[in-house]
Amino acid sequence: MQRVLEVVRRLDGQEIPVCAIIVKNGEVIASAVNRKEKDNDVTAHAEILAIRGAGKALGSWRLDGCELYVNLEPCPMCAWAIIQSRLSAVYFGSFDGNYGALGSAMDLRKFLNSNLKVYGGIMEEECNQILEDYFAGLRKGVGNA
């Protein structure tokens, strides 16, 4: 999670500061940040882009044995892709009571009887602060999202 936070602290404020890193056997195989605004693509969430990168790195859409680290609880679109890609575990920082789909607002694992392991609240205070600062900047007219 420390690596995720290092990345989001360096972002330019044009996107919601979310970074996703996928690890297999202790090695980073893919990472991405939100690019929805930059790419004009509603699906360009960090988790989706990292899953695409991991699939290319492994030559398979099946990400068995891989773990995802992200600073914000995944939304329904991302959670469904995580479950479908067969990731083994998700570690996230900030809980999302509005859109969080791995336990906060809903838990999509229940619909598929998924074995996905989920661990939330990792470095939660730091993750929350980064997101709070970003949205405070938006209210002041800084940033695009």
Side-chain angles (χ1 to χ4, degrees):
M1 190 61 71
Q2 186 62 42
R3 194 173 199 173
V4 167
L5 291 174
E6 289 170 8
V7 171
V8 295
R9 286 186 181 116
R10 292 192 310 259
L11 296 177
D12 63 10
Q14 300 303 304
E15 303 275 352
I16 296 174
V18 176
C19 173
I21 295 176
I22 297 180
V23 174
K24 183 163 185 155
N25 299 325
E27 184 178 328
V28 173
I29 61 167
S31 66
V33 296
N34 277 354
R35 294 178 53 99
K36 187 165 88 170
E37 299 295 332
K38 184 174 185 172
D39 293 353
N40 290 311
D41 180 354
V42 71
T43 69
H45 289 202
E47 300 95 326
I48 299 293
L49 298 174
I51 288 168
R52 288 177 187 161
K56 287 180 183 172
L58 296 177
S60 175
W61 62 267
R62 293 175 185 87
L63 303 182
D64 297 298
C66 295
E67 301 172 324
L68 181 134
Y69 295 81
V70 62
N71 57 301
L72 178 62
E73 181 179 2
C75 72
M77 175 183 69
C78 294
W80 198 258
I82 288 164
I83 292 166
Q84 291 293 312
S85 69
R86 302 182 184 171
L87 280 156
S88 297
V90 173
Y91 300 85
F92 69 85
S94 295
F95 290 90
D96 186 345
N98 292 321
Y99 302 106
L102 291 177
S104 291
M106 66 190 76
D107 193 342
L108 291 182
R109 293 176 295 172
K110 294 176 183 176
F111 294 99
L112 285 177
N113 196 23
S114 172
N115 292 323
L116 176 70
K117 293 177 178 59
V118 176
Y119 306 93
I122 299 164
M123 300 182 75
E124 183 176 12
E125 189 173 310
E126 296 94 328
C127 292
N128 288 347
Q129 191 62 57
I130 288 168
L131 292 164
E132 288 170 15
D133 291 348
Y134 171 78
F135 287 109
L138 279 184
R139 287 188 292 277
K140 292 179 183 176
V142 179
N144 280 343

